[in-house]
Amino acid sequence: MDSNKKRDLAASVILIALLFLIITVLEQLLPKTSMIFTVLKKGSIYALVAVSMNLLNGFTGLFSLGQAGFMLLGAYTYGILTIPVSARAAVYQYYNGGIVQFALPVFAAILLAGVVAAFFAYLIGLPVLHLKSDYLAIATLGFAEIIRAIFQWDKIGALTNGSNLLRKFPIFHSTLFPFAVSAVCIGIIVLLINSTYGRAFKAIRDDEVAAEAMGINLAHHKRLAFTISSFFAGISGALLAMFQTTVQASQFKSAMTYEILLIVVIGGVGSITGSCISSFLFVACSEWWLRFLDNSDTFIGSIHLSMLRPGFRKVVFSVVIMAIVLLYQKGIMGDKEFSISKIREKLKKKKAEDE
Amino acid sequence: MSDRVLELKDITLQFGGVVAVNSLSMHVDRGEIVSLIGPNGAGKTTAFNAITGVYVPTNGCILFEGKKIVENYPHGKMKKLYAGSDNGKYTQHIEPTPDAITKLGVARTFQNIRLWKTQSVFDNVLIAKHLRRTSNVFTATFRLNAAEEKKQREETAELLNILGLYSVKDQNCTTLPYGLQRRLEIARALATEPKLLLLDEPAAGMNPQETLELTEFIGKIRDDFKLTVCMIEHHMDLVMNISDRIYVLNFGALIAKGTPEEIQANPTVIAAYLGEDKNA
């Protein structure tokens, strides 16, 4: 057992290091505008928010749909706090340069983005975490929509710039940046899930009544999971703001939450590696691999494919998702994790059977 | 030596018009095995739920080791019914959550097995150790509690060893045979380091051989872990063999109490179980 664990840990470290090396090499070889970088950047950001949602939905059994709201909080916190003072007059042109007249360093702002999201999650959690399953989902979804509406309100425009864009804040240029931040955050979530608190979360998911009877304080642990999950959603919101170079509240619709939920479900509810793999697949499909379906001038030989037109991509995408849900009902990974030692064991077994 | 571990005073639980438990007073002394018996629907499990904080009693108070852990006296309309003009007496309200009561040292098992189904045997017991943690979420996440974690794992392994579950520790708990699942539930309850163990029909669905093993087993853990045991049971062999004292409930009310011999000879109990003898 223990030697396997150590081997797995070493293998994961080597894999991640290899990934970073490959990205560094790719960045040297390919032009900056290559689609693969877009996919990798957005994929890593979505991986983080999907894992944070999985912590709630998959590991604690709280069906929450507020993720877009917490991302919005993170994105705005980051944007508001990092726009250089010299650029504020231009960004807040309708609000006399806004009320915030300082700029924080990037990492401090990213951390604060998480803290602000977590703070709001704590407050929201006090009343809504008494609700169960679908009711909790509705309450958190409502919260996300309310937050989005409030941030577009022009009365607080001096802070949020109303329904106008926030822009000119520092962004990242290398794909390594979102990768590194996401990797660290996901690493922390994995550590949490494997700790005694993570085990308590799983107990709450499996049987709330038994968990409470065994001395696990439900209210405390649910609030904890909700707050931590939102903290990381806030950080991923900040990363998303950097990726998009602008922030506008209207981007954080409930459709975004559903995209993340889709990633979680396709990857497997209760599987961290599943969420990571499926977020890259999802982003690659929606942004890159299926793009040609939107192009109405596609020819195979001399045959003009007349059914291809803008929007057709979404039709195919829906069919692919339905196929996945039908064929892999528990998602790509189920509730298992990807691990080298398990694959080795399987191969060994197969070898033994063959002989 | 009468060292009261648990004492119930006038516990009443009313759900709408149904009085599930009616003014039940009982006590369990340290080191005893006390059984709570009665026909189906007599209110035994409801009484357990009141002790463990799942339900708040409509009226009455529960003491654990001499300290009030649950106290609720009615207010409004109900108050008149119970208290009459004696208002001053009924001011306190203590309504702890089940986890707080478990933390004091009361652990229970369930009538329908409620293990954490996706977890292994080992993890089921390990999770129950969570409430005795000294780490907070930060130290636990960043593994600053390694010593405590190691200690918890060792204690879990030891506990599984004592209960004879060590050989199946890596199996998923649902793959165990029925008897072992019940035993695992007891192991899980013991992991919370209780002083009082409440067993809700530990022998339900067991054959005579398994029941016999369970009888020895309960006696053994009582001695090994210096426990006090209170159990609900329908298997009369088990109850009469092992109990120091027995309380009999029928339709929510206490109809008899005493040693097994006294209960066996009690005509009210026989009537409640077998029906009245019309010719008598």
Side-chain angles (χ1 to χ4, degrees):
Chain A
M1 261 314 257
D2 269 353
S3 67
N4 267 354
K5 259 187 198 163
K6 269 179 199 157
R7 204 178 291 147
D8 268 354
L9 193 67
S12 324
V13 170
I14 291 169
L15 267 178
I16 291 168
L18 208 65
L19 207 63
F20 274 83
L21 197 71
I22 290 169
I23 293 169
T24 318
V25 172
L26 277 179
E27 283 199 320
Q28 301 301 322
L29 294 178
L30 295 172
K32 282 265 177 204
T33 50
S34 169
M35 206 60 204
I36 190 164
F37 295 125
T38 311
V39 169
L40 287 176
K41 284 173 188 166
K42 201 174 174 190
S44 62
I45 296 165
Y46 267 48
L48 175 56
V49 66
V51 169
S52 82
M53 195 178 199
N54 213 340
L55 173 66
L56 266 190
N57 292 19
F59 289 95
T60 321
L62 295 170
F63 188 36
S64 157
L65 292 177
Q67 235 58 8
F70 296 117
M71 284 177 86
L72 180 147
L73 284 169
Y76 264 89
T77 307
Y78 176 78
I80 290 166
L81 292 178
T82 54
I83 298 171
V85 178
S86 57
R88 282 191 186 264
V91 175
Y92 287 93
Q93 51 180 327
Y94 303 109
Y95 300 98
N96 300 324
I99 52 164
V100 181
Q101 287 302 341
F102 58 89
L104 290 179
V106 170
F107 274 103
I110 289 180
L111 207 61
L112 264 176
V115 171
V116 168
F119 174 71
F120 273 86
Y122 180 82
L123 291 184
I124 299 303
L126 291 177
V128 305
L129 287 178
H130 294 287
L131 302 171
K132 294 215 163 93
S133 63
D134 311 0
Y135 302 100
L136 176 65
I138 293 164
T140 46
L141 189 63
F143 158 74
E145 292 293 299
I146 290 166
I147 281 281
R148 183 164 64 84
I150 288 176
F151 271 70
Q152 288 173 310
W153 189 24
D154 61 353
K155 287 272 160 52
I156 54 166
L159 185 67
T160 62
N161 210 11
S163 56
N164 307 305
L165 289 171
L166 285 178
R167 55 201 163 86
K168 296 198 172 166
F169 45 76
I171 57 166
F172 53 73
H173 298 284
S174 166
T175 314
L176 289 173
F177 183 83
F179 248 82
V181 175
S182 291
V184 169
C185 290
I186 292 173
I188 292 173
I189 296 177
V190 170
L191 280 175
L192 172 72
I193 285 171
N194 291 328
S195 78
T196 174
Y197 280 84
R199 290 194 296 266
F201 291 162
K202 288 181 212 163
I204 293 174
R205 169 193 67 187
D206 284 357
D207 193 327
E208 243 181 65
V209 176
E212 199 176 24
M214 291 304 129
I216 295 170
N217 187 330
L218 291 185
H220 174 72
H221 283 82
K222 282 180 175 180
R223 216 179 300 135
L224 204 61
F226 196 59
T227 311
I228 293 171
S229 163
S230 305
F231 175 81
F232 290 112
I235 287 182
S236 75
L239 290 176
L240 193 67
M242 296 172 102
F243 169 72
Q244 291 175 331
T245 72
T246 59
V247 178
Q248 196 173 19
S250 60
Q251 295 164 340
F252 297 89
K253 292 204 173 80
S254 50
M256 186 182 244
T257 304
Y258 295 134
E259 275 183 2
I260 301 157
L261 182 65
L262 199 63
I263 290 172
V264 171
V265 171
I266 291 176
V269 176
S271 170
I272 299 283
T273 40
S275 291
C276 294
I277 293 168
S278 81
S279 67
F280 284 105
L281 286 178
F282 178 89
V283 174
C285 280
S286 66
E287 303 272 330
W288 188 16
W289 294 339
L290 298 179
R291 275 282 174 199
F292 74 94
L293 293 169
D294 275 3
N295 186 355
S296 52
D297 298 328
T298 309
F299 288 88
I300 294 179
S302 61
I303 307 159
H304 181 231
L305 296 173
S306 56
M307 64 199 288
L308 299 186
R309 64 197 62 180
F312 189 69
R313 170 175 63 112
K314 300 221 162 167
V315 177
V316 175
F317 196 43
S318 315
V319 173
V320 169
I321 288 165
M322 275 193 263
I324 289 175
V325 171
L326 282 174
L327 296 175
Y328 297 91
Q329 285 179 350
K330 286 188 163 175
I332 302 170
M333 300 293 293
D335 54 2
K336 307 269 185 309
E337 296 292 348
F338 177 84
S339 91
I340 303 287
S341 59
K342 269 185 200 148
I343 294 175
R344 267 172 55 112
E345 265 169 39
K346 258 195 189 154
L347 286 179
K348 260 188 201 163
K349 239 185 202 171
K350 211 177 177 193
K351 224 179 189 180
E353 274 172 16
D354 288 347
E355 282 165 8
Chain B
M1 191 188 88
S2 77
D3 181 6
R4 295 275 152 88
V5 173
L6 180 75
E7 189 165 6
L8 275 69
K9 283 182 179 166
D10 290 328
I11 289 294
T12 301
L13 272 127
Q14 203 170 341
F15 301 98
V18 180
V19 184
V21 178
N22 192 358
S23 200
L24 171 67
S25 294
M26 62 180 273
H27 64 89
V28 182
D29 292 342
R30 195 172 299 281
E32 269 190 323
I33 296 180
V34 170
S35 293
L36 201 56
I37 63 170
N40 289 328
K44 307 177 297 287
T45 300
T46 313
F48 262 32
N49 283 336
I51 297 168
T52 53
V54 177
Y55 297 141
V56 181
T58 324
N59 181 46
C61 127
I62 298 170
L63 291 94
F64 179 69
E65 298 191 313
K67 200 176 137 244
K68 279 178 186 164
I69 56 166
V70 177
E71 184 172 44
N72 192 28
Y73 290 110
H75 31 266
K77 227 179 182 177
M78 303 280 279
K79 187 168 178 171
K80 271 186 201 154
L81 206 73
Y82 286 99
S85 58
D86 194 6
N87 283 353
K89 204 174 126 196
Y90 302 104
T91 48
Q92 261 182 302
H93 285 268
I94 311 172
E95 299 175 13
T97 46
D99 57 279
I101 290 181
T102 310
K103 211 159 191 177
L104 286 173
V106 182
R108 72 173 295 181
T109 64
F110 292 91
Q111 191 172 356
N112 323 311
I113 296 175
R114 278 182 176 271
L115 292 166
W116 294 305
K117 293 195 175 63
T118 63
Q119 305 297 309
S120 70
V121 170
F122 189 83
D123 282 346
N124 259 287
V125 178
L126 187 59
I127 291 169
K129 289 257 168 220
H130 182 67
L131 88 159
R132 301 288 174 209
R133 72 192 181 275
T134 54
S135 58
N136 60 36
V137 69
F138 184 81
T139 54
T141 303
F142 294 103
R143 300 293 184 271
L144 303 172
N145 64 338
E148 187 185 58
E149 175 92 11
K150 193 166 166 248
K151 193 175 137 246
Q152 281 187 349
R153 284 180 184 276
E154 281 168 4
E155 283 172 357
T156 303
E158 196 189 322
L159 192 61
L160 288 175
N161 234 336
I162 295 170
L163 300 197
L165 289 164
Y166 193 78
S167 55
V168 291
K169 73 180 172 79
D170 292 326
Q171 282 183 27
N172 183 294
C173 63
T174 50
T175 61
L176 294 186
Y178 194 75
L180 286 186
Q181 287 195 25
R182 287 230 171 258
R183 188 174 279 220
L184 176 57
E185 252 207 335
I186 296 174
R188 190 178 67 171
L190 290 175
T192 65
E193 297 166 27
K195 292 163 190 157
L196 173 68
L197 183 63
L198 304 174
L199 302 172
D200 198 345
E201 300 203 16
M206 284 189 177
N207 62 33
Q209 175 61 32
E210 283 173 327
T211 311
L212 200 68
E213 283 172 18
L214 186 75
T215 313
E216 285 169 18
F217 177 68
I218 291 172
K220 184 172 168 284
I221 58 170
R222 190 255 312 252
D223 299 338
D224 287 359
F225 294 89
K226 299 193 171 50
L227 285 174
T228 308
V229 179
C230 180
M231 67 172 181
I232 294 173
E233 193 42 76
H234 282 300
H235 281 61
M236 282 307 139
D237 310 346
L238 176 62
V239 171
M240 297 302 165
N241 265 331
I242 202 173
S243 307
D244 295 312
R245 283 184 308 116
I246 297 172
Y247 286 90
V248 190
L249 282 177
N250 194 21
F251 294 114
L254 193 64
I255 57 168
K257 58 181 177 181
T259 60
E261 293 76 26
E262 287 166 7
I263 295 297
Q264 272 168 326
N266 189 320
T268 341
V269 176
I270 296 166
Y273 267 91
L274 303 175
E276 308 260 0
D277 188 355
K278 279 179 187 154
N279 301 325

